[in-house]
Structure formats: C-alpha cells, structure tokens
Amino acid sequence: MNATQEQLKVKFQQAMGAAFGAEYAETDPILVSTNNPKFGDYQANVSLSLGKKLGQQPRAIALAILEKLDVSDICEPPEIAGPGFINLKLKTTYLEAQLNAIQSDPRLGIAPTKNPKRVIVDYPSPNIAKEMHVGHLRPAVIGDCISRILEFVGDDVLRISHVGDWGTPFGMLIAYLQTEYPEALTTDETLDLGDLSSFYRQAKKRFDTDEEFKEVARQAVVQLQAGDERTLLAWKIVCQLSSRAYQVIYNLMGIAPFIERGESFYNALLPEVVEELDKLRLLVENQGAKCVFLEGFTNRDGEPLPLIVQKSDGGYNYAATDLAAIRYRVKVDKAQRVIYPVGAEQTNHFAQIFQVGRRAGWITDNIEFVHAPFGLVLGEDGQKLKTRSGDAVRLQDLLDGAIAKVRADLEKRLQEDKREETEDFINKVAEVVGVSAVKYADLSQNRTSSYIFSYDKMLALQGNTAPYMLYAYARIQGISRKGDINFEQLGNAKVLLQHETEITLAKHILQLDEVISAIEQDLLPNRLCEYLFQLSQKFNVFYDRDRGVRVLDAEEPLRTSRLVLCDLTAKTLKLGLSLLGIEVLERM
Ligand code: ARG
C-alpha cells in the first residue's frame, strides 16, 4: 500500500465509523488500484462485504459512506459503480503536489517501512569446487535483487551464502590434489579455478573408474571429518581458490557483497541438533539412522517418510546442516524472516526442514521461513541449457557471449554514425549492457517459471529488455545535454499536468511504492521489470511529438515542468534498475 492509499484508508475508516458506529472505524475499505483508467485510479470494495454483514444493499452502504467521506483534497468527487464499488480518481492538483514533493528526495517519496525486520537472504549458496555454471545464475541474480529491495524497504538484511563446502566431492578433490599435485598444499597461488575445474573433472573420472582411488577419496572424507590437519589444509585451499574464482564473476555481475557461511560452519553444531531433537522426542531410529518422521510426506507405499538427520554411519547430510542453520539463524542471528531463493527442485527439501524447524519450536509463528523457488534456464531446444558436449555452460562464457555481442553491435553502430569513442567507453558500455541484459532477462520472468536463454531476445532494443530500459534512461539524459540543462538545477519548479500523457506518466511514476510493497510480500522481481517497462513506454508516448507534448521547445512554465517530468522519469528508472542490481549509463 502506498502513501496515497494509506491516506485514503484513514479517511474511509473515519467515514465508516461515522456512518455505522465506532466499531466500523477499523474495517478495511479494501482499496485496490483499478486496471482500467475509465474507473478512476482506485476502487473501494468494502460496500459488498459490509452490505452482507449489515444486511443492506451494497449501494446503500456506498451512499452512506460517501455521505461522510471527505477526500476532496486527494480525489475528484467519488462515484458509485456497479453493485456498489466506490471509484476514486486522483485530482491533478494532488498529483502535481506529490511530484513536487518527491522531486529532490533520493527515495522518491517512498517511506521506509515502519516495521523493519531482521531478514536473512540465503544466496547465492553455490556448491564450490566446481567451476561456476549456468545453474549459478539465478540464485545470484534473484537473491541479490530481493536483498536490494528489502534493504531499500528498510529491513536489516543479512546476505548469507550457504556454500556447499563440505562432503564427498571434497574427498575426491582433496585426494586428487594430494596424489597428483602435492605442491598445491604448499602454495595456493599457482592454481586458479580453471585448473581446479579440470582437476574436478579428472578427479571425478578417476573416482568413477579407479576403485583404489575411490577408497583414497573416501579416506580423505573420513580424515576431513576427523579433523586431520593436512587434509583440512587441502580442503581450505580448495575452498579459497574456489571462492576467489567465484568472486571474480560475482564482481563482474555486480552482486553486492555477502557473508560466506558455508555448510562446514555448522559441523560443530550438528550433535546439538540431534540431541535437541531427541530430547523433544522427535527423533526415531530407523535402520540405524536417526530420523524425524514427516507429517504429510509419504513414500510410494503410503508410509510416513523419514527425514534422515544422522546416517547410520554417524555422518550428517544436507538436511541436517540446514536444520542447524535454521536453529542458528533464529537463536543467534535473531532473524525474523529467512528467504531461500533456491531452485524449485528443492521445494520438498525446504518444506521438510521448515516442518521439522517448526515442530522443534525453532520457527515460531512470528518468524517467517520462505523458500522462493525458481525455474530452470533452458536452451533454445527447451531442455536444460548445455554445451554441445553436454556439459553445463560456464557462467563466464554466458556473460562473455552477451558482452561480445553488445560490443560488436556497438562498434558497427559507431562506424555507421562515424562516431568516435574511446576504448574505455566501448568496454564499459559493452560490459554494462551485456551483463544487464543477462540479469534483466532472468529477473523479468516470473521467477517460478523456467525460461529460454536467448541472446537475441535479451539484447533486443525493443521490448521488455535491459537495452530498451538503458536506452530510455540515456535518452532522457540526452535531452538534458541537448537543451544544455542541468536537471539538478531545476530546483523546485512547479509541476503542471495538462496533457493526458503527462497525467498518465505522473501517475505511473507515483506507483513505484505500490510495486515495491508487492515485491516485499511475494518476492517477485518481475513486477519491477514490468513497471519499469511501462514507465519507459509511457515516457516515450509523452515525449512523442505527435502523441505527446513538446518539451525543449515548449513555452514556460510548461517547459520546466516537463523537464521535471523527464528528470523524475529518469530518476525512477535509475532507482528501479538499481534495485534490480543494474547500473545505468549516461550515454551509450
Ligand atoms: N548449495 C545448494 C545447491 O547448490 C543450495 C543451498 C541453498 N541454501 C540452503 N540453505 N539449503 O543446491
């Protein structure tokens, strides 16, 4: 709900209290944005439910409310429509005042939340010791965006990467390092993850074909878990190399800094988890393993499904570590909301560990644990994106591909226009547009669905793409250059809304806070993309000589007023894109 809706809500509640008695001063007027401008901007739907409750016709209720309602400072006279909806149309003078009020506010009038929460966003949480591949794209991009939005809302956001830094794959890798490259144990400078990833593949190959090596790898896991120093050192080297290589890509992608608190962090806490679950009588021994029998989950034979917390050999698994993490996040981090942007294939895993967390009393009613699932990145064939040889595509290659395409396109354009630009400029534009295109293509999809990765689509200059949005921003900066105007010096020039396209644009600018509060709830960044796309389109209509208005060659005071609208559009684009993790370019 935005500030306007909140004001309207208060006024409605006063009116309902006056019309039906004090006990109705708390009733929700059920104010929603109308999708059709014909019905105004907002619609109050309360008359229908209230009518039922009071045994009166909804229209009579609506009339009674209107009798007491004074919204004349915000709206045109309200109208009753259909069975009893109350339609509200914002006054132009109100819109003008709102725009003037946000003009020099970096938050564009969006007040921080009154109830800031301690939030943990668990991302990007990759399994390290593999080279980054396409599967690492979505958690990074979506987790980063959600964190940015909640931070903007005013929450205290802790970004924690629950890296997969423990377990069997490391045994294999450690064994391979120890046997083939013992020098790696004395220096960590000579290897980069490129090497490490081919090590990984070779180690895996050996693991799969060489029984003796398999045993050595198994021993390495045992030694690792037993805390053997040399093995721990090898493991640490692998982790550091991996993290460092990952960080290079996260930097290129503009992923904000996060804390790395991997699975290994919880090792020492696992016995406590088992103990506590046992004390709570949740733990059942099943074929030697310690399990919690889940409610609502059954196996093929319809029997209750166990969640294994400790295996019969004493080892722990992914679920156990996540239980320890839940407990730690509640008890030590004091989190009130914990968000896991993780692939949809882990839906059951999260439902199960959250259930155990609740039954253990760690997750209480005032704490929200949510899995924010996402779909897959697909190739043009509709299958999981793969290289020709069937491997997962390297994330670096995916980004480099986009950057190279933008660069080629830009160089061609420069040549055609006989435009001279520095190498630095070309590099910067190619990188920003290329990376943004990949991120935006991901964020603009409803995260729960899978999408087809297509350079052509994501780099298109028309449509809901990063290049389109970045051009819209740069184009507005172009207006300031062309007119030799410093947007920052427009001061508090009065905004005047006369033309239909100005009003439409103004209303849209003022709707950003509604979009942000919706995302705060449902964690769907595509809402913001859609909003920004519509903003650019509405701006283009406003700025179109035929359909819209003149700007630079308009008479004063309209000229300045329209320049303020241009500036506000640019600022809204910039803020919105920054919440998506996308930086703007003044020129491109
Ligand atoms: N490392 C896991 C994977 O790549 C994702 C971890 C998600 N976070 C968590 N707390 N389970 O599948």
Side-chain angles (χ1 to χ4, degrees):
M1 193 151 60
N2 67 15
T4 302
Q5 273 169 300
E6 242 158 84
Q7 282 184 58
L8 289 171
K9 182 176 172 182
V10 171
K11 287 175 186 279
F12 264 86
Q13 290 181 328
Q14 282 163 357
M16 288 189 286
F20 311 114
E23 66 268 36
Y24 290 94
E26 301 268 289
T27 307
D28 183 353
I30 318 179
L31 277 165
V32 295
S33 304
T34 55
N35 300 322
N36 189 341
K38 219 170 69 194
F39 302 126
D41 301 299
Y42 295 107
Q43 179 178 305
N45 293 341
V46 66
S47 317
L48 282 79
S49 50
L50 213 52
K52 248 187 221 134
K53 200 163 165 195
L54 295 173
Q56 290 181 37
Q57 289 296 323
R59 274 192 92 90
I61 299 279
L63 272 172
I65 294 175
L66 288 193
E67 196 125 310
K68 303 286 181 196
L69 184 73
D70 180 10
V71 288
S72 57
D73 51 342
I74 302 177
C75 303
E76 303 290 349
E79 282 171 17
I80 301 175
F85 305 118
I86 300 172
N87 290 344
L88 302 162
K89 185 167 187 268
L90 297 175
K91 267 188 175 161
T92 305
T93 47
Y94 175 78
L95 293 169
E96 289 168 346
Q98 292 286 103
L99 290 174
N100 273 126
I102 69 172
Q103 210 186 321
S104 48
D105 175 2
R107 295 186 58 94
L108 296 177
I110 304 174
T113 174
K114 291 186 202 88
N115 309 305
K117 289 196 184 102
R118 181 130 177 100
V119 179
I120 290 178
V121 186
D122 179 313
Y123 88 98
S125 310
N127 295 328
I128 53 174
K130 262 191 223 183
E131 205 162 18
M132 281 193 106
H133 56 79
V134 52
H136 294 124
L137 176 68
R138 303 208 75 183
V141 170
I142 295 171
D144 184 53
C145 175
I146 289 175
S147 305
R148 285 171 191 266
I149 289 176
L150 296 181
E151 209 155 59
F152 179 76
V153 163
D155 286 332
D156 174 13
V157 179
L158 204 57
R159 300 155 153 96
I160 294 182
S161 185
H162 188 84
V163 288
D165 62 355
W166 200 253
T168 323
F170 282 87
M172 189 173 77
L173 204 52
I174 291 165
Y176 198 72
L177 276 171
Q178 283 174 334
T179 56
E180 298 293 306
Y181 299 89
E183 71 274 17
L185 290 172
T186 45
T187 169
D188 57 355
E189 297 305 326
T190 48
L191 300 168
D192 64 32
L193 195 69
D195 299 333
L196 209 57
S197 111
S198 71
F199 282 156
Y200 187 88
R201 249 174 303 197
Q202 285 173 33
K204 174 106 175 71
K205 201 164 132 202
R206 191 142 164 213
F207 186 83
D208 291 340
T209 54
D210 181 343
E211 279 305 315
E212 217 171 289
F213 179 76
K214 215 173 192 162
E215 191 44 43
V216 179
R218 247 185 238 125
Q219 280 309 315
V221 179
V222 173
Q223 280 166 346
L224 187 65
Q225 275 162 352
D228 172 65
E229 251 166 61
R230 264 184 73 80
T231 314
L232 274 173
L233 177 66
W235 166 75
K236 252 188 211 143
I237 290 169
V238 171
C239 289
Q240 276 168 6
L241 285 168
S242 178
S243 278
R244 226 178 292 157
Y246 276 42
Q247 197 52 54
V248 172
I249 301 187
Y250 291 137
N251 288 347
L252 170 64
M253 289 171 73
I255 304 297
F258 48 80
I259 296 170
E260 210 167 79
R261 195 192 278 164
E263 293 180 11
S264 63
F265 176 87
Y266 301 97
N267 284 349
L269 307 173
L270 294 169
E272 284 171 34
V273 170
V274 172
E275 236 170 76
E276 191 170 336
L277 291 175
D278 197 25
K279 257 193 219 143
L280 293 165
R281 297 178 176 277
L282 287 171
L283 226 47
V284 177
E285 193 131 337
N286 188 31
Q287 295 171 12
K290 292 184 175 146
C291 312
V292 177
F293 277 94
L294 296 160
E295 291 160 1
F297 289 91
T298 47
N299 66 13
R300 269 194 222 127
D301 303 327
E303 290 152 6
L305 200 70
L307 179 81
I308 298 178
V309 183
Q310 191 173 17
K311 293 184 284 184
S312 53
D313 66 2
Y316 298 94
N317 57 16
Y318 183 52
T321 306
D322 254 331
L323 289 177
I326 289 178
R327 189 164 167 266
Y328 193 89
R329 287 166 182 185
V330 173
K331 295 197 189 292
V332 182
D333 293 322
K334 309 267 183 256
Q336 296 161 288
R337 192 180 192 198
V338 185
I339 300 166
Y340 297 76
V342 179
E345 66 283 358
Q346 294 195 30
T347 299
N348 277 342
H349 165 73
F350 286 108
Q352 294 173 355
I353 59 165
F354 294 166
Q355 181 192 117
V356 175
R358 269 192 299 273
R359 285 165 60 192
W362 303 328
I363 305 179
T364 47
D365 286 347
N366 50 355
I367 305 178
E368 189 194 358
F369 272 73
V370 282
H371 174 211
F374 48 76
L376 300 169
V377 181
L378 306 174
E380 305 269 4
D381 58 359
Q383 303 293 316
K384 232 173 163 166
L385 191 64
K386 287 205 181 73
T387 61
R388 245 175 244 158
S389 58
D391 298 322
V393 180
R394 294 169 70 231
L395 188 48
Q396 181 78 53
D397 291 344
L398 216 59
L399 296 166
D400 286 347
I403 295 170
K405 276 188 190 287
V406 177
R407 168 182 265 281
D409 189 61
L410 176 61
E411 280 170 347
K412 196 171 127 219
R413 210 155 33 88
L414 293 179
Q415 219 166 34
E416 280 168 7
D417 300 350
K418 299 208 170 25
R419 218 173 109 195
E420 289 272 350
E421 295 289 356
T422 64
E423 197 54 27
D424 279 353
F425 175 87
I426 296 172
N427 286 339
K428 174 82 183 167
V429 172
E431 195 175 299
V432 170
V433 179
V435 171
S436 305
V438 174
K439 292 172 85 171
Y440 193 93
D442 195 295
L443 293 168
S444 59
Q445 302 292 323
N446 181 311
R447 73 171 150 67
T448 58
S449 29
S450 299
Y451 70 92
I452 292 178
F453 189 93
S454 155
Y455 284 130
D456 288 343
K457 268 201 204 124
M458 69 179 69
L459 293 172
L461 296 179
Q462 292 300 327
N464 191 9
T465 65
Y468 179 79
M469 235 59 74
L470 292 172
Y471 268 111
Y473 179 83
R475 188 165 172 231
I476 300 175
Q477 301 313 314
I479 298 171
S480 89
R481 286 191 292 272
K482 190 168 152 204
D484 200 15
I485 292 143
N486 183 346
F487 278 152
E488 296 313 310
Q489 281 170 8
L490 291 172
N492 269 352
K494 177 126 183 50
V495 179
L496 299 162
L497 303 171
Q498 295 186 342
H499 197 266
E500 202 47 49
T501 60
E502 290 175 293
I503 295 174
T504 307
L505 178 62
K507 282 181 180 169
H508 197 77
I509 290 173
L510 293 169
Q511 277 162 8
L512 177 59
D513 52 359
E514 272 175 68
V515 175
I516 289 176
S517 18
I519 303 175
E520 185 190 351
Q521 300 307 316
D522 62 20
L523 310 172
L524 289 174
N526 60 300
R527 290 180 185 281
L528 182 51
C529 297
E530 185 58 37
Y531 167 85
L532 294 173
F533 181 46
Q534 284 183 23
L535 177 66
S536 316
Q537 287 181 316
K538 285 175 179 167
F539 177 81
N540 286 345
V541 177
F542 151 85
Y543 193 63
D544 185 284
R545 276 191 161 268
D546 300 324
R547 290 177 294 169
V549 297
R550 288 159 182 260
V551 176
L552 283 175
D553 48 5
E555 304 277 332
E556 289 296 358
L558 289 180
R559 181 176 187 267
T560 303
S561 160
R562 287 170 185 168
L563 286 168
V564 172
L565 270 181
C566 291
D567 181 37
L568 276 172
T569 304
K571 283 181 171 146
T572 307
L573 279 171
K574 184 173 179 174
L575 174 62
L577 288 170
S578 82
L579 295 177
L580 295 173
I582 290 175
E583 67 174 303
V584 293
L585 294 161
E586 299 303 304
R587 269 178 349 107
M588 55 195 284

